[in-house]
Amino acid sequence: MFFSKDGVIDHKQFVTDLAALRAQLQAAGSICNLFQNRYQFALGIVAGLLNNQTIILPPSLAPEAIRSSIADAPAPVILSDNAEHDALAARLSFEAAQSEPAKNWDYATSLQANPTEIHVYSSGSTRQPKCNAKTWKMLRGGAAITDQILQELEVQPSEVGLLGTTPHGHMYGLEATIFATLGFGHATYRDTIFYPADLEAAIEAARACGISKLVLITSPAHLRFLEAAILAAPEIICVLSATAPFPQALAQKLAARDNLKVMEIYGSTETGSMALRQTAFEEAWSLSAGFELQKTPATCLAAAPHLPVPIALEDEIEQHPDGRFTLLGRAGDMVSVRGKRSRLAALNATLSEVAEISDGVFLHDKRSESDALAIAVVPLQGSSLSETEIRSLVRRHLLLHLDAAFVPKKLLFLPEIPRSATGKITRAITVDLLKKAGLHS
């Protein structure tokens, strides 16, 4: 079920620890689950659901974000091993149960109709983070895409493990690691993966646990610095990416390695994971997890058996006769400069191809007549190029691939772009960077 350098934790141990945690949480009115260890986090999810206690997953670990998310929650208890959270609410840390092993228990069946809510927040990339109420059934339904991908790998379930770089408190990581395990029984690595050394340690832990094939649950933000480690690890047989557009050039480079399948998942906090594609070879998306699309005059609705109601997509799409669809861009993502139009996602995709920078983003200020644009970039670490030389190389690349109207003169150099843990940039950060570029009052 879960594994680490300390070995495998099976279902019986999970049920034993679950009983102990449920007893410790009896006095809680609601639970704010901040456990960073995926095993502890999964225990907190199941314990809260079985105790009928609303579970809150804040949009970030910033104290103000946590405080705001639990402000109206009844008698909140924070699940955390970090003593700094004592200042926010009552805190409970994790201790492995010392009691006799419990009997195996199929808690998943009893949770399928459980109405207790899990509050998951959107990223805040276009507005303030929004709370979305989920249930076991909804999150397990979204995790069905991960299960489908693993089934199609045609390997024995006991051979495969999931490694996650994306936060498990956010929708994608929650479905693709936690609920892929809780709902479908796949083995997931307990610890955090961020740096290449973390990935190497996870592979070594899997090998020690008898797990020979690995699926990496990640995002373009992490792939930027994990690429070499992935290519050098034959144990990784599949890469799943989501949360931001996957640069096709990178997808093609990874897919060129022998025995490596590269998949991209499409979804949102509101819908959960709903479609997939092999980005290296195709542009269109294929629906999964029972999803159907319903066009209306104003928008497109996504419906699925595990969702209580159809949900309006924030992206504009083009449906194809074979049931697949193409993304045209996020509603409101249109950039209009001097009468010419493009999509912000397309501009950022072009910028990501510049070899002389490690990260970059277009900053967009929508205006009534002609929008304003700036660019923020992070030079490659150890680069010998001057800012003037990098500026020239960036502009040259963009002018080769974009209309000159979309190549701004304002270019900010930053030591790093302040992305969220899922690789996104909040609207508040965008506004701050626009101010530094002199484009937003």
Side-chain angles (χ1 to χ4, degrees), residues 355-416:
E356 291 76 19
I357 62 174
S358 63
D359 198 3
V361 64
F362 271 81
L363 307 170
H364 177 214
D365 191 26
K366 191 172 281 292
R367 298 181 178 178
S368 56
E369 293 184 1
S370 183
D371 297 347
L373 288 172
I375 294 174
V377 299
V378 179
L380 285 173
Q381 190 172 10
S383 173
S384 61
L385 298 175
S386 68
E387 288 190 358
T388 300
E389 290 171 319
I390 294 174
R391 186 188 304 272
S392 176
L393 289 167
V394 169
R395 284 185 56 81
R396 187 183 309 161
H397 175 84
L398 296 180
L399 287 168
L400 277 173
H401 300 279
L402 301 174
D403 189 285
F406 301 109
V407 183
K409 294 180 180 178
K410 296 276 187 180
L411 196 150
L412 293 177
F413 286 88
L414 301 174
E416 66 174 352

Short mmCIF file of all heavy atoms in Angstrom, two decimals, residues 355-416:
data_model
loop_
_atom_site.label_atom_id
_atom_site.label_comp_id
_atom_site.label_asym_id
_atom_site.label_seq_id
_atom_site.Cartn_x
_atom_site.Cartn_y
_atom_site.Cartn_z
N ALA A 355 16.51 27.88 -24.68
CA ALA A 355 17.48 27.02 -24.00
C ALA A 355 18.30 27.75 -22.95
O ALA A 355 18.82 27.13 -22.02
CB ALA A 355 18.42 26.40 -25.04
N GLU A 356 18.39 29.05 -23.04
CA GLU A 356 19.29 29.81 -22.16
C GLU A 356 18.65 30.20 -20.83
O GLU A 356 19.29 30.87 -20.01
CB GLU A 356 19.79 31.07 -22.87
CG GLU A 356 20.74 30.81 -24.02
CD GLU A 356 20.04 30.30 -25.28
OE1 GLU A 356 18.80 30.49 -25.39
OE2 GLU A 356 20.71 29.73 -26.16
N ILE A 357 17.39 29.81 -20.61
CA ILE A 357 16.74 30.12 -19.33
C ILE A 357 16.23 28.83 -18.70
O ILE A 357 15.90 27.88 -19.40
CB ILE A 357 15.57 31.12 -19.50
CG1 ILE A 357 14.48 30.54 -20.39
CG2 ILE A 357 16.07 32.45 -20.04
CD1 ILE A 357 13.22 31.41 -20.49
N SER A 358 16.18 28.80 -17.37
CA SER A 358 15.67 27.62 -16.67
C SER A 358 14.18 27.74 -16.39
O SER A 358 13.52 26.73 -16.14
CB SER A 358 16.43 27.42 -15.35
OG SER A 358 16.23 28.52 -14.48
N ASP A 359 13.65 28.97 -16.43
CA ASP A 359 12.22 29.18 -16.22
C ASP A 359 11.84 30.54 -16.78
O ASP A 359 12.68 31.43 -16.89
CB ASP A 359 11.90 29.12 -14.71
CG ASP A 359 10.42 28.89 -14.42
OD1 ASP A 359 9.65 28.71 -15.39
OD2 ASP A 359 10.04 28.88 -13.24
N GLY A 360 10.59 30.66 -17.16
CA GLY A 360 10.13 31.93 -17.68
C GLY A 360 8.62 31.96 -17.78
O GLY A 360 7.97 30.92 -17.87
N VAL A 361 8.06 33.17 -17.77
CA VAL A 361 6.61 33.31 -17.85
C VAL A 361 6.25 34.66 -18.45
O VAL A 361 6.92 35.67 -18.21
CB VAL A 361 5.97 33.15 -16.45
CG1 VAL A 361 6.39 34.26 -15.50
CG2 VAL A 361 4.46 33.08 -16.54
N PHE A 362 5.21 34.67 -19.28
CA PHE A 362 4.64 35.91 -19.77
C PHE A 362 3.74 36.50 -18.69
O PHE A 362 2.94 35.79 -18.07
CB PHE A 362 3.81 35.67 -21.04
CG PHE A 362 4.60 35.76 -22.32
CD1 PHE A 362 5.37 34.70 -22.75
CD2 PHE A 362 4.57 36.92 -23.09
CE1 PHE A 362 6.09 34.77 -23.93
CE2 PHE A 362 5.29 37.01 -24.26
CZ PHE A 362 6.05 35.93 -24.70
N LEU A 363 3.87 37.79 -18.48
CA LEU A 363 3.02 38.53 -17.53
C LEU A 363 2.02 39.34 -18.34
O LEU A 363 2.41 40.13 -19.21
CB LEU A 363 3.87 39.45 -16.66
CG LEU A 363 5.04 38.76 -15.93
CD1 LEU A 363 5.95 39.80 -15.30
CD2 LEU A 363 4.51 37.78 -14.90
N HIS A 364 0.74 39.14 -18.08
CA HIS A 364 -0.32 39.68 -18.92
C HIS A 364 -1.20 40.62 -18.12
O HIS A 364 -1.73 40.24 -17.08
CB HIS A 364 -1.14 38.51 -19.49
CG HIS A 364 -2.30 38.93 -20.31
ND1 HIS A 364 -3.49 38.23 -20.35
CD2 HIS A 364 -2.47 39.99 -21.15
CE1 HIS A 364 -4.33 38.83 -21.17
NE2 HIS A 364 -3.72 39.89 -21.67
N ASP A 365 -1.32 41.85 -18.60
CA ASP A 365 -2.23 42.83 -17.99
C ASP A 365 -3.32 43.16 -19.01
O ASP A 365 -3.06 43.82 -20.03
CB ASP A 365 -1.47 44.10 -17.60
CG ASP A 365 -2.31 45.02 -16.73
OD1 ASP A 365 -3.22 44.53 -16.04
OD2 ASP A 365 -2.06 46.25 -16.74
N LYS A 366 -4.53 42.64 -18.78
CA LYS A 366 -5.63 42.82 -19.74
C LYS A 366 -6.14 44.26 -19.67
O LYS A 366 -6.41 44.79 -18.60
CB LYS A 366 -6.77 41.85 -19.42
CG LYS A 366 -7.83 41.77 -20.52
CD LYS A 366 -8.82 40.66 -20.24
CE LYS A 366 -8.28 39.31 -20.61
NZ LYS A 366 -8.10 39.12 -22.06
N ARG A 367 -6.27 44.89 -20.84
CA ARG A 367 -6.72 46.28 -20.92
C ARG A 367 -7.82 46.41 -21.96
O ARG A 367 -8.02 45.51 -22.78
CB ARG A 367 -5.55 47.20 -21.22
CG ARG A 367 -4.48 47.16 -20.12
CD ARG A 367 -3.30 48.08 -20.38
NE ARG A 367 -2.36 48.03 -19.28
CZ ARG A 367 -1.22 48.71 -19.25
NH1 ARG A 367 -0.87 49.49 -20.29
NH2 ARG A 367 -0.41 48.61 -18.21
N SER A 368 -8.51 47.52 -21.93
CA SER A 368 -9.70 47.68 -22.77
C SER A 368 -9.37 47.72 -24.25
O SER A 368 -10.10 47.17 -25.08
CB SER A 368 -10.47 48.95 -22.37
OG SER A 368 -9.61 50.08 -22.45
N GLU A 369 -8.27 48.33 -24.64
CA GLU A 369 -7.96 48.46 -26.06
C GLU A 369 -6.85 47.48 -26.48
O GLU A 369 -7.05 46.62 -27.33
CB GLU A 369 -7.56 49.90 -26.39
CG GLU A 369 -8.72 50.88 -26.23
CD GLU A 369 -8.35 52.28 -26.65
OE1 GLU A 369 -7.19 52.49 -27.09
OE2 GLU A 369 -9.20 53.18 -26.54
N SER A 370 -5.67 47.63 -25.89
CA SER A 370 -4.54 46.77 -26.23
C SER A 370 -3.88 46.29 -24.95
O SER A 370 -3.50 47.10 -24.10
CB SER A 370 -3.53 47.53 -27.10
OG SER A 370 -2.46 46.69 -27.49
N ASP A 371 -3.79 44.96 -24.78
CA ASP A 371 -3.21 44.41 -23.55
C ASP A 371 -1.73 44.72 -23.46
O ASP A 371 -1.05 44.95 -24.46
CB ASP A 371 -3.41 42.89 -23.51
CG ASP A 371 -4.88 42.50 -23.47
OD1 ASP A 371 -5.72 43.39 -23.24
OD2 ASP A 371 -5.17 41.31 -23.68
N ALA A 372 -1.22 44.71 -22.21
CA ALA A 372 0.20 44.94 -21.98
C ALA A 372 0.86 43.61 -21.59
O ALA A 372 0.27 42.78 -20.89
CB ALA A 372 0.41 45.97 -20.87
N LEU A 373 2.09 43.39 -22.06
CA LEU A 373 2.83 42.16 -21.78
C LEU A 373 4.23 42.49 -21.25
O LEU A 373 4.86 43.48 -21.65
CB LEU A 373 2.98 41.32 -23.04
CG LEU A 373 1.75 40.60 -23.59
CD1 LEU A 373 2.07 40.00 -24.95
CD2 LEU A 373 1.26 39.54 -22.62
N ALA A 374 4.71 41.64 -20.38
CA ALA A 374 6.10 41.65 -19.95
C ALA A 374 6.53 40.19 -19.79
O ALA A 374 5.70 39.27 -19.87
CB ALA A 374 6.27 42.41 -18.64
N ILE A 375 7.80 39.96 -19.60
CA ILE A 375 8.32 38.61 -19.43
C ILE A 375 9.21 38.58 -18.19
O ILE A 375 10.02 39.50 -17.97
CB ILE A 375 9.13 38.15 -20.66
CG1 ILE A 375 8.23 38.02 -21.89
CG2 ILE A 375 9.83 36.83 -20.40
CD1 ILE A 375 8.99 37.71 -23.16
N ALA A 376 9.09 37.53 -17.40
CA ALA A 376 10.01 37.27 -16.30
C ALA A 376 10.78 36.00 -16.63
O ALA A 376 10.18 35.00 -17.05
CB ALA A 376 9.25 37.10 -14.99
N VAL A 377 12.09 36.02 -16.47
CA VAL A 377 12.92 34.85 -16.78
C VAL A 377 13.92 34.58 -15.67
O VAL A 377 14.30 35.48 -14.92
CB VAL A 377 13.68 35.02 -18.12
CG1 VAL A 377 12.74 35.20 -19.28
CG2 VAL A 377 14.68 36.16 -18.04
N VAL A 378 14.34 33.33 -15.59
CA VAL A 378 15.40 32.90 -14.66
C VAL A 378 16.54 32.34 -15.50
O VAL A 378 16.35 31.33 -16.18
CB VAL A 378 14.87 31.83 -13.69
CG1 VAL A 378 15.99 31.39 -12.75
CG2 VAL A 378 13.67 32.34 -12.91
N PRO A 379 17.71 32.99 -15.49
CA PRO A 379 18.84 32.46 -16.27
C PRO A 379 19.26 31.09 -15.76
O PRO A 379 19.05 30.75 -14.60
CB PRO A 379 19.95 33.49 -16.05
CG PRO A 379 19.24 34.73 -15.61
CD PRO A 379 18.05 34.26 -14.83
N LEU A 380 19.87 30.29 -16.63
CA LEU A 380 20.40 29.00 -16.22
C LEU A 380 21.46 29.19 -15.13
O LEU A 380 22.27 30.11 -15.19
CB LEU A 380 21.05 28.29 -17.41
CG LEU A 380 20.12 27.66 -18.45
CD1 LEU A 380 20.93 27.16 -19.63
CD2 LEU A 380 19.32 26.52 -17.84
N GLN A 381 21.43 28.33 -14.13
CA GLN A 381 22.40 28.40 -13.05
C GLN A 381 23.80 28.20 -13.60
O GLN A 381 24.07 27.27 -14.36
CB GLN A 381 22.09 27.35 -11.99
CG GLN A 381 22.90 27.51 -10.72
CD GLN A 381 22.43 26.58 -9.62
OE1 GLN A 381 21.63 25.70 -9.84
NE2 GLN A 381 22.93 26.78 -8.42
N GLY A 382 24.69 29.11 -13.24
CA GLY A 382 26.07 29.01 -13.69
C GLY A 382 26.30 29.54 -15.08
O GLY A 382 27.41 29.40 -15.62
N SER A 383 25.28 30.16 -15.68
CA SER A 383 25.43 30.69 -17.04
C SER A 383 26.46 31.82 -17.07
O SER A 383 26.51 32.66 -16.18
CB SER A 383 24.08 31.22 -17.55
OG SER A 383 24.25 31.88 -18.79
N SER A 384 27.29 31.81 -18.11
CA SER A 384 28.30 32.87 -18.27
C SER A 384 27.78 34.04 -19.09
O SER A 384 28.48 35.03 -19.30
CB SER A 384 29.55 32.28 -18.94
OG SER A 384 29.21 31.76 -20.23
N LEU A 385 26.52 33.92 -19.57
CA LEU A 385 25.95 34.98 -20.41
C LEU A 385 25.52 36.16 -19.56
O LEU A 385 25.03 36.00 -18.44
CB LEU A 385 24.76 34.44 -21.19
CG LEU A 385 25.02 33.30 -22.17
CD1 LEU A 385 23.71 32.81 -22.77
CD2 LEU A 385 25.97 33.77 -23.28
N SER A 386 25.68 37.35 -20.10
CA SER A 386 25.22 38.56 -19.42
C SER A 386 23.71 38.72 -19.62
O SER A 386 23.11 38.05 -20.48
CB SER A 386 25.93 39.79 -19.98
OG SER A 386 25.51 40.01 -21.33
N GLU A 387 23.08 39.58 -18.82
CA GLU A 387 21.65 39.83 -18.98
C GLU A 387 21.35 40.38 -20.37
O GLU A 387 20.33 40.04 -20.98
CB GLU A 387 21.16 40.81 -17.91
CG GLU A 387 21.10 40.19 -16.52
CD GLU A 387 20.38 41.08 -15.52
OE1 GLU A 387 19.97 42.21 -15.90
OE2 GLU A 387 20.23 40.66 -14.35
N THR A 388 22.25 41.20 -20.89
CA THR A 388 22.05 41.76 -22.23
C THR A 388 22.04 40.65 -23.28
O THR A 388 21.20 40.64 -24.20
CB THR A 388 23.15 42.78 -22.57
OG1 THR A 388 23.11 43.85 -21.61
CG2 THR A 388 22.98 43.35 -23.97
N GLU A 389 22.96 39.68 -23.13
CA GLU A 389 23.03 38.58 -24.09
C GLU A 389 21.79 37.67 -23.98
O GLU A 389 21.24 37.24 -25.00
CB GLU A 389 24.30 37.76 -23.85
CG GLU A 389 25.58 38.50 -24.24
CD GLU A 389 26.83 37.77 -23.79
OE1 GLU A 389 26.84 37.24 -22.66
OE2 GLU A 389 27.81 37.73 -24.58
N ILE A 390 21.36 37.40 -22.75
CA ILE A 390 20.17 36.57 -22.57
C ILE A 390 18.94 37.28 -23.13
O ILE A 390 18.11 36.66 -23.81
CB ILE A 390 19.97 36.22 -21.08
CG1 ILE A 390 21.12 35.33 -20.60
CG2 ILE A 390 18.62 35.54 -20.86
CD1 ILE A 390 21.10 35.05 -19.12
N ARG A 391 18.84 38.58 -22.87
CA ARG A 391 17.70 39.36 -23.39
C ARG A 391 17.65 39.25 -24.91
O ARG A 391 16.58 39.04 -25.50
CB ARG A 391 17.85 40.81 -22.96
CG ARG A 391 16.65 41.71 -23.32
CD ARG A 391 16.98 43.17 -23.02
NE ARG A 391 17.37 43.34 -21.64
CZ ARG A 391 16.51 43.56 -20.65
NH1 ARG A 391 15.22 43.62 -20.91
NH2 ARG A 391 16.94 43.72 -19.42
N SER A 392 18.80 39.36 -25.54
CA SER A 392 18.86 39.29 -27.00
C SER A 392 18.47 37.90 -27.51
O SER A 392 17.71 37.78 -28.48
CB SER A 392 20.28 39.63 -27.47
OG SER A 392 20.41 39.48 -28.86
N LEU A 393 18.93 36.85 -26.83
CA LEU A 393 18.61 35.49 -27.25
C LEU A 393 17.12 35.17 -27.06
O LEU A 393 16.51 34.51 -27.91
CB LEU A 393 19.46 34.49 -26.45
CG LEU A 393 20.95 34.46 -26.79
CD1 LEU A 393 21.73 33.69 -25.75
CD2 LEU A 393 21.16 33.85 -28.18
N VAL A 394 16.55 35.66 -25.96
CA VAL A 394 15.12 35.45 -25.73
C VAL A 394 14.30 36.13 -26.82
O VAL A 394 13.39 35.54 -27.41
CB VAL A 394 14.71 35.96 -24.33
CG1 VAL A 394 13.19 35.98 -24.19
CG2 VAL A 394 15.31 35.08 -23.24
N ARG A 395 14.62 37.39 -27.09
CA ARG A 395 13.87 38.14 -28.11
C ARG A 395 14.03 37.49 -29.49
O ARG A 395 13.05 37.40 -30.25
CB ARG A 395 14.35 39.60 -28.15
CG ARG A 395 13.83 40.44 -27.00
CD ARG A 395 14.23 41.90 -27.17
NE ARG A 395 13.77 42.47 -28.43
CZ ARG A 395 12.53 42.92 -28.66
NH1 ARG A 395 11.63 42.86 -27.70
NH2 ARG A 395 12.21 43.41 -29.83
N ARG A 396 15.22 37.04 -29.79
CA ARG A 396 15.46 36.43 -31.10
C ARG A 396 14.61 35.16 -31.27
O ARG A 396 13.99 34.94 -32.31
CB ARG A 396 16.95 36.09 -31.26
CG ARG A 396 17.33 35.60 -32.65
CD ARG A 396 18.80 35.23 -32.70
NE ARG A 396 19.64 36.29 -32.18
CZ ARG A 396 20.90 36.10 -31.77
NH1 ARG A 396 21.44 34.90 -31.82
NH2 ARG A 396 21.59 37.11 -31.31
N HIS A 397 14.57 34.34 -30.23
CA HIS A 397 13.76 33.11 -30.29
C HIS A 397 12.28 33.44 -30.44
O HIS A 397 11.58 32.84 -31.27
CB HIS A 397 13.99 32.27 -29.03
CG HIS A 397 13.12 31.05 -28.97
ND1 HIS A 397 13.45 29.86 -29.59
CD2 HIS A 397 11.90 30.85 -28.39
CE1 HIS A 397 12.50 28.98 -29.39
NE2 HIS A 397 11.54 29.54 -28.66
N LEU A 398 11.80 34.38 -29.65
CA LEU A 398 10.38 34.71 -29.70
C LEU A 398 9.99 35.31 -31.05
O LEU A 398 8.92 35.00 -31.59
CB LEU A 398 10.02 35.69 -28.57
CG LEU A 398 10.18 35.15 -27.14
CD1 LEU A 398 9.78 36.21 -26.12
CD2 LEU A 398 9.35 33.89 -26.93
N LEU A 399 10.86 36.16 -31.61
CA LEU A 399 10.55 36.77 -32.90
C LEU A 399 10.55 35.75 -34.04
O LEU A 399 9.91 35.96 -35.06
CB LEU A 399 11.56 37.89 -33.20
CG LEU A 399 11.36 39.17 -32.37
CD1 LEU A 399 12.55 40.10 -32.51
CD2 LEU A 399 10.07 39.89 -32.78
N LEU A 400 11.27 34.63 -33.85
CA LEU A 400 11.25 33.57 -34.85
C LEU A 400 9.92 32.83 -34.88
O LEU A 400 9.52 32.29 -35.90
CB LEU A 400 12.38 32.57 -34.57
CG LEU A 400 13.76 32.91 -35.09
CD1 LEU A 400 14.77 31.88 -34.58
CD2 LEU A 400 13.78 32.95 -36.62
N HIS A 401 9.23 32.81 -33.73
CA HIS A 401 8.04 31.97 -33.59
C HIS A 401 6.75 32.73 -33.32
O HIS A 401 5.67 32.15 -33.42
CB HIS A 401 8.27 30.96 -32.46
CG HIS A 401 9.43 30.05 -32.69
ND1 HIS A 401 9.36 28.94 -33.50
CD2 HIS A 401 10.71 30.10 -32.23
CE1 HIS A 401 10.54 28.34 -33.53
NE2 HIS A 401 11.38 29.01 -32.77
N LEU A 402 6.86 34.02 -32.98
CA LEU A 402 5.67 34.80 -32.63
C LEU A 402 5.61 36.07 -33.44
O LEU A 402 6.64 36.58 -33.92
CB LEU A 402 5.68 35.17 -31.13
CG LEU A 402 5.73 34.04 -30.10
CD1 LEU A 402 5.87 34.64 -28.70
CD2 LEU A 402 4.49 33.17 -30.19
N ASP A 403 4.41 36.60 -33.59
CA ASP A 403 4.27 37.94 -34.16
C ASP A 403 4.96 38.93 -33.24
O ASP A 403 4.92 38.80 -32.00
CB ASP A 403 2.78 38.28 -34.28
CG ASP A 403 2.56 39.56 -35.07
OD1 ASP A 403 2.83 40.65 -34.50
OD2 ASP A 403 2.13 39.49 -36.23
N ALA A 404 5.60 39.93 -33.82
CA ALA A 404 6.36 40.92 -33.04
C ALA A 404 5.49 41.63 -32.00
O ALA A 404 6.00 42.10 -30.98
CB ALA A 404 7.00 41.94 -33.98
N ALA A 405 4.18 41.68 -32.23
CA ALA A 405 3.28 42.33 -31.28
C ALA A 405 3.30 41.65 -29.92
O ALA A 405 3.02 42.28 -28.89
CB ALA A 405 1.86 42.35 -31.83
N PHE A 406 3.66 40.36 -29.90
CA PHE A 406 3.63 39.60 -28.65
C PHE A 406 5.03 39.41 -28.04
O PHE A 406 5.22 38.58 -27.16
CB PHE A 406 2.99 38.22 -28.89
CG PHE A 406 1.60 38.31 -29.42
CD1 PHE A 406 1.32 37.95 -30.73
CD2 PHE A 406 0.56 38.80 -28.64
CE1 PHE A 406 0.04 38.05 -31.25
CE2 PHE A 406 -0.72 38.90 -29.13
CZ PHE A 406 -0.99 38.53 -30.45
N VAL A 407 5.99 40.19 -28.52
CA VAL A 407 7.35 40.13 -27.98
C VAL A 407 7.62 41.43 -27.23
O VAL A 407 8.03 42.43 -27.83
CB VAL A 407 8.39 39.90 -29.10
CG1 VAL A 407 9.78 39.76 -28.49
CG2 VAL A 407 8.03 38.67 -29.92
N PRO A 408 7.40 41.44 -25.92
CA PRO A 408 7.50 42.70 -25.17
C PRO A 408 8.95 43.13 -24.95
O PRO A 408 9.88 42.31 -24.96
CB PRO A 408 6.83 42.35 -23.83
CG PRO A 408 7.02 40.88 -23.69
CD PRO A 408 6.97 40.32 -25.08
N LYS A 409 9.12 44.42 -24.72
CA LYS A 409 10.45 44.94 -24.42
C LYS A 409 10.78 44.79 -22.94
O LYS A 409 11.94 44.72 -22.56
CB LYS A 409 10.51 46.41 -24.83
CG LYS A 409 10.40 46.63 -26.34
CD LYS A 409 10.47 48.10 -26.70
CE LYS A 409 10.35 48.29 -28.22
NZ LYS A 409 10.36 49.72 -28.59
N LYS A 410 9.74 44.75 -22.10
CA LYS A 410 9.94 44.61 -20.66
C LYS A 410 10.32 43.17 -20.33
O LYS A 410 9.56 42.24 -20.58
CB LYS A 410 8.66 44.98 -19.91
CG LYS A 410 8.23 46.44 -20.07
CD LYS A 410 8.98 47.32 -19.09
CE LYS A 410 8.42 48.74 -19.13
NZ LYS A 410 9.14 49.61 -18.18
N LEU A 411 11.53 42.98 -19.76
CA LEU A 411 11.98 41.64 -19.41
C LEU A 411 12.62 41.70 -18.03
O LEU A 411 13.63 42.39 -17.83
CB LEU A 411 12.96 41.12 -20.46
CG LEU A 411 13.23 39.61 -20.45
CD1 LEU A 411 13.56 39.13 -21.85
CD2 LEU A 411 14.38 39.28 -19.51
N LEU A 412 12.01 41.02 -17.06
CA LEU A 412 12.51 40.98 -15.69
C LEU A 412 13.43 39.78 -15.51
O LEU A 412 13.10 38.67 -15.94
CB LEU A 412 11.36 40.86 -14.69
CG LEU A 412 10.38 42.02 -14.55
CD1 LEU A 412 9.29 41.62 -13.56
CD2 LEU A 412 11.09 43.27 -14.09
N PHE A 413 14.56 39.99 -14.85
CA PHE A 413 15.44 38.87 -14.48
C PHE A 413 15.22 38.57 -13.00
O PHE A 413 15.30 39.45 -12.15
CB PHE A 413 16.90 39.23 -14.74
CG PHE A 413 17.26 39.23 -16.20
CD1 PHE A 413 17.11 40.37 -16.97
CD2 PHE A 413 17.75 38.08 -16.80
CE1 PHE A 413 17.43 40.38 -18.32
CE2 PHE A 413 18.07 38.07 -18.16
CZ PHE A 413 17.91 39.21 -18.91
N LEU A 414 14.93 37.31 -12.70
CA LEU A 414 14.65 36.90 -11.34
C LEU A 414 15.53 35.70 -10.96
O LEU A 414 15.88 34.89 -11.82
CB LEU A 414 13.19 36.49 -11.18
CG LEU A 414 12.12 37.54 -11.51
CD1 LEU A 414 10.74 36.90 -11.45
CD2 LEU A 414 12.21 38.72 -10.56
N PRO A 415 15.90 35.57 -9.66
CA PRO A 415 16.64 34.37 -9.23
C PRO A 415 15.77 33.12 -9.29
O PRO A 415 16.26 32.02 -9.49
CB PRO A 415 17.05 34.71 -7.79
CG PRO A 415 16.10 35.77 -7.35
CD PRO A 415 15.75 36.55 -8.58
N GLU A 416 14.46 33.31 -9.11
CA GLU A 416 13.49 32.23 -9.29
C GLU A 416 12.11 32.85 -9.46
O GLU A 416 11.85 33.96 -8.99
CB GLU A 416 13.48 31.24 -8.13
CG GLU A 416 13.00 31.83 -6.82
CD GLU A 416 12.87 30.76 -5.74
OE1 GLU A 416 13.01 29.56 -6.05
OE2 GLU A 416 12.62 31.14 -4.59
#
